[in-house]
Amino acid sequence: MNLIFLGPPGAGKGTQAQRLEKEAGARQLSTGDMLREAVASGSEIGRRAKAIMDKGELVSDEVVIGIVGERLGQERQGFILDGFPRTVAQAEALDRLLAEKKLKLDRVVEFAVDDEALVDRLSGRFNCKSCGAMYHDRHKRPKVAGLCDRCGGREFLRRPDDNPETIRTRLAAYARQTAPLLPYYRGKGLLLTVDGMADIAQVAGLIDRALGQKG
Ligand code: AMP
């Protein structure tokens, strides 16, 4: 199944994409992760992207579309686009890429959440340094403190853009540039909306039911 997860930063897209990757085999394609890899590699694209990401603004459509174009289409059991597309130009480019690669989008899942909760979610989250598993100070702590549930790693990272000022810029970028994608995909009959305010297990159930996989 080929999916897009759409919603503001902190809505739970990454958490649910990681879960579906594990349970259903679909591949999570996160442009944020790809850009952070480019930053870590010290490439020219990475250096330019870092300054923009640190401010909470969007990296240029051209760069992001190029990165996705290189990756998309290598998945055997479908993909979950997480954080892409983020502008109408990216959505139109995705339509062209899918047509070129003879792929079809099955659903776009919107995570509906309110802004107040997002600041709380973003400011408490951290990842395992080795496997990327996501945690939260209040909502999803490792089962054993200081030890990753998934790989046993002992080092964790917090994203530099998960600070209150950058979070506000990222939420504004979502409202201005990404929210117009909701009518775009509704018009194509692909949009499903789930309540992203529920807890992680409940959101998982809502997504599975909406996609017709369980229950
Ligand atoms: P994320 O991990 O999805 O929250 O993305 C982190 C940051 O990477 C964003 O704040 C943007 O600066 C950049 N980014 C990720 N995906 C995109 C995209 N599709 N278009 C433009 N910038 C992006």
Side-chain angles (χ1 to χ4, degrees), residues 9 13 30-33 35-36 49 52-54 56-61 64 82-87 90 125 159 161 170:
K13 304 182 299 294
S30 153
T31 42
D33 286 347
L35 289 165
R36 280 183 288 277
I52 299 167
M53 294 167 76
D54 284 349
E57 292 168 5
L58 295 188
V59 173
S60 79
D61 288 334
V64 179
D82 162 11
F84 179 91
R86 257 173 157 99
T87 63
Q90 291 179 19
R125 69 181 186 178
R159 284 173 43 173
D161 58 348
R170 289 160 67 201

Side-chain angles (χ1 to χ4, degrees), residues 156-169:
F156 297 88
L157 296 172
R158 285 177 197 266
R159 284 173 43 173
D161 58 348
D162 280 345
N163 68 75
E165 197 190 328
T166 312
I167 289 170
R168 273 192 295 278
T169 310

